[in-house]
Amino acid sequence: MVESFPWWTEENKKLAKDLETFVLNHYEEAERHYFMKKFPHGILNELKELGYFGAGVPKKYGGMELGATGACIVAEQLGRLYCVGHCFTVSMLGGLHQLIEFGTEEQKEYWLTKIAKGQLGAVCITEPFAGSDAANVYTSAVKDGDEWVINGKKRYITNAGTGHRYFMYIKTSDDPKDRAAYRHLSTFVFERGTKGFSLEKINDLIGFDNVPNGYLNMKDVHLPESAMVGEQGQGWEIMMSGLNFERMIGSAGVGGSLLDAARLLHFHSQRRIQFGKPLKFIENVSFTLARLVARLKYARLMSFYTAYLLDLGKQPIIESSIAKWFNVDWAMQSGIETVQAMGGDALTRFYPVERMIREAKIGQLVAGTNEVMAYLVYRVATSMAMTKELETPFRFKMDEEAGYPIATLDKGPYVEQEATSELVLKILAEDYRVNPSLYMMIDDIKKQCKGSRKKIREICKELENNGLVVAFYDRKGEIKMVKANYKGLDKAYPPEHYRWFPDWYDIERDAFFG
Ligand SMILES: Cc1cc2nc3c(=O)[nH]c(=O)nc-3n(C[C@H](O)[C@H](O)[C@H](O)COP(=O)(O)OP(=O)(O)OC[C@H]3O[C@@H](n4cnc5c(N)ncnc54)[C@H](O)[C@@H]3O)c2cc1C
């Protein structure tokens, strides 16, 4: 039974229950298709007829209007039907969120009704020379009268060939100013059958056994203005918005595979007897199952929380990146640990654990690699979303009574004094006592005395010229941080000021002060 979340609506809960029944009824068929490397047209057609492709599509366009949460519920359940799950997920990425956010009314009318009816779609970002560096696309669109003429290639495109709708990010400007402002890309959507648009190659991968993934070629493809989604130059913004959705829905699919791994290990560990008892009584094995359950819980919570934020109209860049990054890492780790806990059985293709590892490896690379996720989380957290939260409100000072540095809201003894070179050197020397290896930022000094940043920088420059501090400069050539050097420390205080020994240390016997 699918565990629901307290914020799910009754419709969400019903959707999850219906989907679970659908999955159980089609599991065998999906597995047969997987082992025989056949595309599951039949199951996908049934899903189309039941309207599940429309889970995230507004009712006005023939969908169920269950938002990002609805799309995640479908992705999570269908994720257990292997190829079916991949095709559904990628089809949603091929424009659902982007068209709802950026499409014109005519585009919504045309495309969203098709998505709701189950038209398979593909999202086309990657090219031979543009992988993680997704802005570096070579495929170009040039204006010719009322039309755009597209030339180029896309690669690693899931649903290539089987997809009817292709949602593409294409270069519309070579102006370095547009490139610098990420305004050089635009978004286009068009269908197979368009003249000059062809399938170039299907990849034979270590995963995606019956999931088509390949290269596309565009040779003088003529598209009307109406094929452009959003404005010219808005492609990067649309791509980023689409990727939040992509990472969230991809992470939801991982929840399904974690559940299946936990179920399989539970099944196996109850029935495999070694040393006269079932494996489940061996702590290594039961703790592995405990870790799978813990990861499953975290993974689902993160995916559905991210979906909830999207449904509230937010752009959860950090949350969707974390969901994608951690969920697939956990799937990888869980696959490896499940093999260990099941022994040789798990290495045969009679059990689907080896598949989980291959799929998780793909997951660590697609939709932005996990390294790119880490970079995104770092950059967005430190320069936008969490700048205030990450700033420590404390100053660290040596507490003479406790004998250790402690965090304090107290701004220190000099807060009412005007900054002078002597005072700044004292502040730097005090900081050396508690943070001996760190520089002080200009703002750290500013918080402890009176004076503008400009004035404190000038004082620091003077101290540097006098050989008393070491300065670190930013790219604009301004002093950003300073620390007192040994000469500066000597000038600020006598050597005994810096001494510190733990209680247990025998100063009388072992210390020396020349
Ligand atoms: C099975 C599969 C399905 C896919 N489906 C689609 C699809 O439907 N549509 C689509 O557009 N694309 C798709 N892709 C492409 C996928 O998104 C890219 O593979 C991915 O973005 C990484 O690009 P790359 O493989 O060229 O690796 P590269 O970008 O060459 O990266 C190689 C290594 O360098 C690291 N690296 C690169 N730059 C940085 C950086 N700045 N900081 C830290 N590390 C860095 C990467 O993390 C990685 O470890 C798919 C790929 C696969 C394998």
Side-chain angles (χ1 to χ4, degrees):
M1 203 194 132
V2 192
E3 186 191 5
S4 61
F5 288 95
W7 58 86
W8 282 12
T9 61
E10 288 309 312
E11 280 171 303
N12 287 154
K13 289 179 195 165
K14 180 172 179 329
L15 179 70
K17 198 160 170 283
D18 292 350
L19 251 304
E20 193 185 29
T21 307
F22 183 91
V23 167
L24 293 176
N25 289 337
H26 292 81
Y27 207 83
E28 183 182 336
E29 192 181 343
E31 286 297 292
R32 197 174 297 126
H33 277 82
Y34 159 73
F35 277 107
M36 292 167 73
K37 290 208 174 194
K38 293 265 184 285
F39 192 73
H41 287 290
I43 306 179
L44 283 160
N45 284 339
E46 276 188 60
L47 277 169
K48 289 175 191 179
E49 273 165 32
L50 289 166
Y52 290 130
F53 273 80
V57 176
K59 286 193 175 136
K60 191 176 164 192
Y61 308 108
M64 294 177 168
E65 199 164 320
L66 296 175
T69 303
C72 268
I73 288 171
V74 181
E76 180 178 50
Q77 288 306 312
L78 295 186
R80 301 171 55 211
L81 293 185
Y82 196 63
C83 175
V84 177
H86 285 304
C87 291
F88 169 80
T89 302
V90 171
S91 196
M92 295 301 107
L93 312 181
L96 171 64
H97 176 76
Q98 301 94 318
L99 284 157
I100 291 175
E101 285 285 306
F102 300 94
T104 61
E105 196 42 49
E106 290 76 43
Q107 286 171 333
K108 288 182 190 173
E109 189 63 50
Y110 185 81
W111 294 111
L112 292 179
T113 46
K114 286 184 185 260
I115 294 176
K117 283 188 187 140
Q119 182 194 52
L120 280 190
V123 60
C124 311
I125 302 172
T126 309
E127 296 188 8
F129 307 110
S132 301
D133 187 5
N136 190 36
V137 301
Y138 276 52
T139 298
S140 63
V142 176
K143 202 73 194 273
D144 180 16
D146 291 344
E147 290 186 325
W148 287 97
V149 184
I150 319 286
N151 278 287
K153 290 181 193 294
K154 293 283 173 186
R155 75 160 182 165
Y156 285 142
I157 305 308
T158 306
N159 278 350
T162 41
H164 280 252
R165 181 182 68 259
Y166 293 83
F167 201 85
M168 290 213 186
Y169 297 96
I170 294 175
K171 183 170 59 128
T172 44
S173 169
D174 280 316
D175 185 336
K177 274 198 246 120
D178 287 337
R179 178 70 179 76
Y182 287 86
R183 298 280 310 167
H184 63 301
L185 299 180
S186 301
T187 310
F188 293 86
V189 56
F190 53 101
E191 278 161 304
R192 60 181 286 171
T194 308
K195 194 163 175 292
F197 179 39
S198 58
L199 182 65
E200 186 173 277
K201 176 165 139 187
I202 288 293
N203 294 312
D204 200 11
L205 299 160
I206 63 146
F208 272 36
D209 296 47
N210 57 335
V211 182
N213 175 281
Y215 285 57
L216 303 168
N217 189 48
M218 276 79 64
K219 177 89 185 89
D220 293 331
V221 174
H222 285 250
L223 295 178
E225 189 66 54
S226 61
M228 183 183 277
V229 179
E231 293 163 15
Q232 185 179 338
Q234 213 181 1
W236 184 257
E237 185 188 340
I238 298 176
M239 190 199 293
M240 289 304 112
S241 171
L243 281 171
N244 287 337
F245 184 80
E246 173 164 359
R247 287 161 189 158
M248 170 212 65
I249 198 169
S251 77
V254 176
S257 60
L258 279 168
L259 177 61
D260 281 343
R263 281 177 172 160
L264 180 61
L265 181 56
H266 187 45
F267 169 85
H268 188 272
S269 66
Q270 286 170 319
R271 291 163 178 79
R272 169 77 175 154
I273 311 277
Q274 284 293 283
F275 297 102
K277 60 183 177 184
L279 284 186
K280 71 173 185 170
F281 292 116
I282 294 174
E283 211 167 75
N284 296 345
V285 175
S286 59
F287 281 12
T288 300
L289 185 55
R291 280 195 297 277
L292 295 194
V293 170
R295 289 176 191 141
L296 167 66
K297 290 268 178 190
Y298 264 115
R300 294 193 76 231
L301 190 56
M302 199 63 202
S303 309
F304 283 103
Y305 172 61
T306 306
Y308 180 59
L309 293 180
L310 262 171
D311 284 337
L312 291 178
K314 299 187 188 300
Q315 282 293 346
I317 307 179
I318 294 192
E319 289 78 6
S320 61
S321 306
I322 294 174
K324 190 265 165 183
W325 170 18
F326 275 63
N327 288 12
V328 291
D329 271 1
W330 280 337
M332 186 71 185
Q333 196 55 34
S334 300
I336 291 169
E337 289 175 17
T338 305
V339 170
Q340 199 65 21
M342 282 177 60
D345 279 344
L347 292 174
T348 73
R349 293 195 74 203
F350 276 32
Y351 295 101
V353 193
E354 56 82 33
R355 175 169 90 192
M356 186 179 172
I357 296 175
R358 290 186 287 126
E359 292 300 308
K361 191 65 241 166
I362 290 177
Q364 288 177 323
L365 281 167
V366 296
T369 65
N370 279 8
E371 291 76 20
V372 169
M373 293 306 97
Y375 174 69
L376 256 180
V377 170
Y378 170 78
R379 197 165 57 93
V380 176
T382 56
S383 63
M384 288 184 252
M386 295 176 66
T387 42
K388 285 273 172 281
E389 270 168 280
L390 290 174
E391 196 72 40
T392 173
F394 298 113
R395 178 175 80 88
F396 296 92
K397 72 162 185 184
M398 182 59 77
D399 188 89
E400 304 306 340
E401 200 183 343
Y404 280 88
I406 58 166
T408 174
L409 285 172
D410 166 26
K411 294 193 186 314
Y414 313 118
V415 72
E416 293 303 330
Q417 292 184 33
E418 267 318 311
T420 61
S421 54
E422 195 186 341
L423 189 70
V424 169
L425 196 59
K426 270 192 167 177
I427 291 172
L428 289 169
E430 275 306 318
D431 188 63
Y432 169 78
R433 292 181 77 203
V434 292
N435 296 308
S437 63
L438 305 185
Y439 283 69
M440 282 188 93
M441 306 199 68
I442 295 299
D443 276 4
D444 297 337
I445 301 171
K446 187 175 173 299
K447 279 182 200 152
Q448 294 191 35
C449 61
K450 279 186 157 173
S452 64
R453 282 190 191 91
K454 184 167 176 278
K455 183 174 175 196
I456 293 169
R457 271 201 195 94
E458 282 166 6
I459 291 171
C460 291
K461 182 75 200 158
E462 182 195 326
L463 288 167
E464 187 191 32
N465 290 342
N466 291 334
L468 297 168
V469 303
V470 182
F472 178 85
Y473 287 79
D474 65 16
R475 273 188 279 179
K476 285 187 271 171
E478 282 190 340
I479 293 184
K480 193 168 167 67
M481 294 185 278
V482 279
K483 68 183 173 83
N485 62 17
Y486 306 143
K487 192 173 158 195
L489 293 174
D490 282 346
K491 186 164 166 60
Y493 290 104
E496 48 274 25
H497 187 70
Y498 303 109
R499 287 181 191 144
W500 186 91
F501 303 97
D503 289 346
W504 53 265
Y505 191 74
D506 191 338
I507 301 174
E508 296 297 319
R509 202 188 67 184
D510 294 333
F512 54 89
F513 309 109

